[in-house]
Amino acid sequence: MIISSVKSFSSNIEGGRLELHLIGGFIDDKGLSQDLTSHLLRAFDTQQDEVHLVTLCVTELNDMVKNGIHIPIIYGIAVNVKTAEIFSATFQDQGPDEDIRSARSLTGGAMISIYDVKTEQLCIGPYYWMPFPFLDFWLEQDDEQILKKLSTSPLAEPPHFVAHIRSTLMFLKEHPFPENTLFLNKKSRLYKKNEGGLWERVLTDKM
């Protein structure tokens, strides 16, 4: 899907090549980062198109030890689309409908792309999820239990992780059936950037 999306906007360009940058993961106890890295490399290697691996900063290459605990060196990146510069970054603003997107992820939703490059809009949903099991039980747990049970890497999570999970659980309690409260008439929630570079909701009656 990534390759097809890039190629669709490069069909009129002669020359050039597909370049791949892989960044993330660390030496975690469960070996999840290593498995994911292997799957990604294998997936790109089996593509019909020739893909050039330019940046590889994964697993042990993105690992450091702090107080005897392995943690990632880089947690997030940003890309300057004008210069192609890649740099380490953190984000105070997680974008529109973070609570909805987090709820979908916590209930087992697969990774998807929410940005439509043709319309330059974010398209959120419609999503559907089943009521989160034992929700009240999880909301009663202390921070240590939430961190231990609801994280794949409890010792490497950023400080805001537990608060974020609690907020998502509360959101799931308020919206057990999103089709009835968030996505009426099965309509997506659309956002487009204004002249100031901020996301604004696109009302369906204006489309």
Side-chain angles (χ1 to χ4, degrees):
M1 183 181 66
I2 293 173
I3 292 177
S4 296
S5 178
V6 172
K7 289 175 63 179
S8 69
F9 281 86
S10 306
S11 56
N12 297 325
I13 299 177
E14 295 183 2
R17 66 178 189 175
L18 292 170
E19 295 185 344
L20 174 64
H21 304 266
L22 285 180
I23 301 170
F26 68 110
I27 303 177
D28 60 279
D29 293 337
K30 300 178 181 178
L32 299 177
S33 294
Q34 182 62 58
D35 288 344
L36 181 56
T37 297
S38 298
H39 285 311
L40 283 169
L41 290 174
R42 191 176 302 113
F44 280 105
D45 186 51
T46 56
Q47 296 299 310
Q48 292 183 348
D49 297 280
E50 189 173 77
V51 180
H52 297 262
L53 181 60
V54 178
T55 305
L56 185 69
C57 182
V58 298
T59 319
E60 64 268 22
L61 301 177
N62 188 46
D63 183 271
M64 69 182 220
V65 178
K66 184 176 182 180
N67 298 325
I69 299 171
H70 288 272
I71 61 174
I73 298 172
I74 298 174
Y75 278 85
I77 64 167
V79 180
N80 185 326
V81 295
K82 294 183 178 180
T83 65
E85 177 190 8
I86 300 174
F87 51 94
S88 176
T90 57
F91 303 89
Q92 297 297 322
D93 183 3
Q94 301 297 322
D97 288 337
E98 180 191 4
D99 44 8
I100 296 178
R101 294 183 283 116
S102 297
R104 180 183 180 276
S105 177
L106 192 60
T107 53
M111 184 179 294
I112 57 173
S113 174
I114 61 173
Y115 184 67
D116 187 329
V117 293
K118 293 183 179 180
T119 63
E120 298 184 340
Q121 293 181 340
L122 289 181
C123 180
I124 312 296
Y127 300 148
Y128 308 93
W129 55 68
M130 296 297 292
F132 197 83
F134 309 110
L135 186 55
D136 289 329
F137 167 81
W138 287 113
L139 286 170
E140 293 173 355
Q141 301 307 298
D142 58 27
D143 291 359
E144 182 180 356
Q145 284 300 311
I146 288 180
L147 184 62
K148 182 179 180 181
K149 299 298 184 180
L150 297 181
S151 168
T152 57
S153 305
L155 299 179
E157 294 292 359
H160 66 271
F161 175 82
V162 172
H164 174 70
I165 292 296
R166 285 193 185 279
S167 175
T168 303
L169 290 171
M170 283 300 302
F171 185 82
L172 285 169
K173 186 173 182 177
E174 295 170 3
H175 301 280
F177 301 101
E179 64 271 23
N180 296 334
T181 56
L182 302 171
F183 301 103
L184 301 180
N185 299 320
K186 300 181 179 180
K187 290 184 177 181
S188 302
R189 298 165 65 93
L190 302 177
Y191 294 86
K192 192 176 183 68
K193 282 194 172 183
N194 60 23
E195 295 181 355
L198 301 177
W199 292 108
E200 286 186 345
R201 180 85 180 270
V202 178
L203 300 180
T204 54
D205 58 357
K206 293 183 180 181
M207 293 179 59

